[in-house]
């Protein structure tokens, strides 16, 4: 019988570390980093990704034209912004607290850095830390005007004008997640066309063509 030994690369070790977030090492590191992030601006450019194995899986390359921003987003649900909590309507709609936003916090983080860096394109993002008040994400951004990007056949797609502010239109991974586009097949019949609302409207709109 042969004994096969599986060799793990460096990135695999890092991946396993991040999977065991309750381990003593990770709990200590996350706590210390959370303290550091609280002292710094909520949108902060970092020299490189904190999780290189995750960033590379999501499309990051350690070359010119790519940059990484860390973004902190305040945690919690979405309290309805009604003056003095008064809703002038039916009791059914009078809820103010215990409301949850459809959009996830990772998509919010992408939007905020996308607004701040209007000339860059948001590629993807991932979780890095959280405490009682904030969730922290790292967002990968690409400079669509950089020749290193424009001449790269694998990254040219993001330079097209149709990808301007893709994070604002729910086209990134986090955006597709909260739009419910993770599912496919017969379970996604009512999502065809981009959203449930659009699908319902198409099915329920009467079209009276001229020659029919």
């Amino acid at each position: 019988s042969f004994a096969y030994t599986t060799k793990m690369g460096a990135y695999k070790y890092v991946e396993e570390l991040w999977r065991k977030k309750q381990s003593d090492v990770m709990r200590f590191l996350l706590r210390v980093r959370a303290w550091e992030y609280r002292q710094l601006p909520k949108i902060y450019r970092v020299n490189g990704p904190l999780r290189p194995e995750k960033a590379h899986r999501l499309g990051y390359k350690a070359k010119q034209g790519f940059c990484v921003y860390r973004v902190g987003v305040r945690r919690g649900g979405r309290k309805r912004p009604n003056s003095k909590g008064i809703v002038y309507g039916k009791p059914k709609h009078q809820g103010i607290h215990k409301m949850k936003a459809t959009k996830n916090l990772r998509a919010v983080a992408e939007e905020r850095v996308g607004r701040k860096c209007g000339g860059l394109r948001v590629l993807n993002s991932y979780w890095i830390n959280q405490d009682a008040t904030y969730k922290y994400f790292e967002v990968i951004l690409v400079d669509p005007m950089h020749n290193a990007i424009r001449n790269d056949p694998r990254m040219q797609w993001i330079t097209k004008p149709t990808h301007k502010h893709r994070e604002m239109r729910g086209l990134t991974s986090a955006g597709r997640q909260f739009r419910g586009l993770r599912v496919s097949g017969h379970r996604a019949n009512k999502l065809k066309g981009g959203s449930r609302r659009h699908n319902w409207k198409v099915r329920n709109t009467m079209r009276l063509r001229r020659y029919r």
Side-chain angles (χ1 to χ4, degrees):
S1 64
F2 296 98
Y4 292 101
T5 56
T6 55
K7 291 185 178 178
M8 286 192 356
Y11 277 7
K12 190 66 180 172
Y13 276 107
V14 177
E15 185 187 341
E16 289 300 318
L17 268 175
W18 276 96
R19 277 189 179 160
K20 306 288 191 291
K21 295 181 182 67
Q22 293 266 339
S23 65
D24 291 350
V25 175
M26 287 303 293
R27 285 175 67 178
F28 175 75
L29 283 174
L30 291 171
R31 194 167 75 240
V32 172
R33 284 176 186 150
W35 174 86
E36 182 191 4
Y37 299 161
R38 279 199 297 274
Q39 318 308 316
L40 294 167
K42 290 296 166 277
I43 300 178
Y44 187 79
R45 182 171 177 182
V46 292
N47 291 328
L50 180 69
R51 302 174 62 181
E53 93 298 347
K54 182 73 169 172
H56 280 277
R57 254 183 293 158
L58 298 179
Y60 173 80
K61 300 284 184 194
K63 69 174 195 177
Q64 291 179 334
F66 284 84
C67 64
V68 180
Y69 273 77
R70 183 176 62 238
V71 188
V73 182
R74 194 173 277 271
R75 296 176 65 180
R78 184 185 179 278
K79 181 173 174 285
R80 189 175 287 173
N82 288 46
S83 176
K84 298 182 181 177
I86 300 169
V87 180
Y88 298 99
K90 298 178 180 179
K92 175 184 178 180
H93 298 120
Q94 282 176 352
I96 299 295
H97 301 285
K98 299 186 179 179
M99 300 285 159
K100 277 78 178 173
T102 307
K103 196 177 294 182
N104 54 46
L105 295 183
R106 188 157 71 93
V108 173
E110 291 177 352
E111 286 185 14
R112 288 187 184 170
V113 72
R115 280 198 200 94
K116 180 120 176 165
C117 310
L120 302 179
R121 305 272 162 87
V122 173
L123 179 62
N124 221 321
S125 61
Y126 51 91
W127 179 96
I128 52 167
N129 209 329
Q130 69 187 50
D131 57 18
T133 312
Y134 291 97
K135 277 198 179 189
Y136 297 97
F137 303 93
E138 277 187 354
V139 184
I140 305 164
L141 295 120
V142 180
D143 182 358
M145 292 300 153
H146 201 292
N147 280 335
I149 303 299
R150 297 184 82 82
N151 298 331
D152 183 351
R154 288 187 175 175
M155 284 307 298
Q156 279 175 338
W157 60 271
I158 207 166
T159 64
K160 293 179 181 176
T162 190
H163 289 293
K164 289 179 181 177
H165 288 290
R166 55 201 298 269
E167 74 285 348
M168 296 299 219
R169 296 176 287 130
L171 302 182
T172 58
S173 178
R176 289 176 61 81
Q177 185 179 4
F178 79 74
R179 285 167 61 200
L181 300 181
R182 283 277 192 268
V183 295
S184 60
H186 73 277
R187 294 181 303 159
N189 282 339
K190 291 187 177 172
L191 283 170
K192 285 176 184 173
S195 70
R196 288 182 194 279
R197 185 179 285 119
H198 175 243
N199 186 275
W200 176 88
K201 192 174 181 183
V202 167
R203 290 180 195 275
N204 288 274
T205 303
M206 183 183 287
R207 292 180 188 81
L208 302 175
R209 295 181 180 272
R210 186 175 174 193
Y211 301 108
R212 68 181 192 275

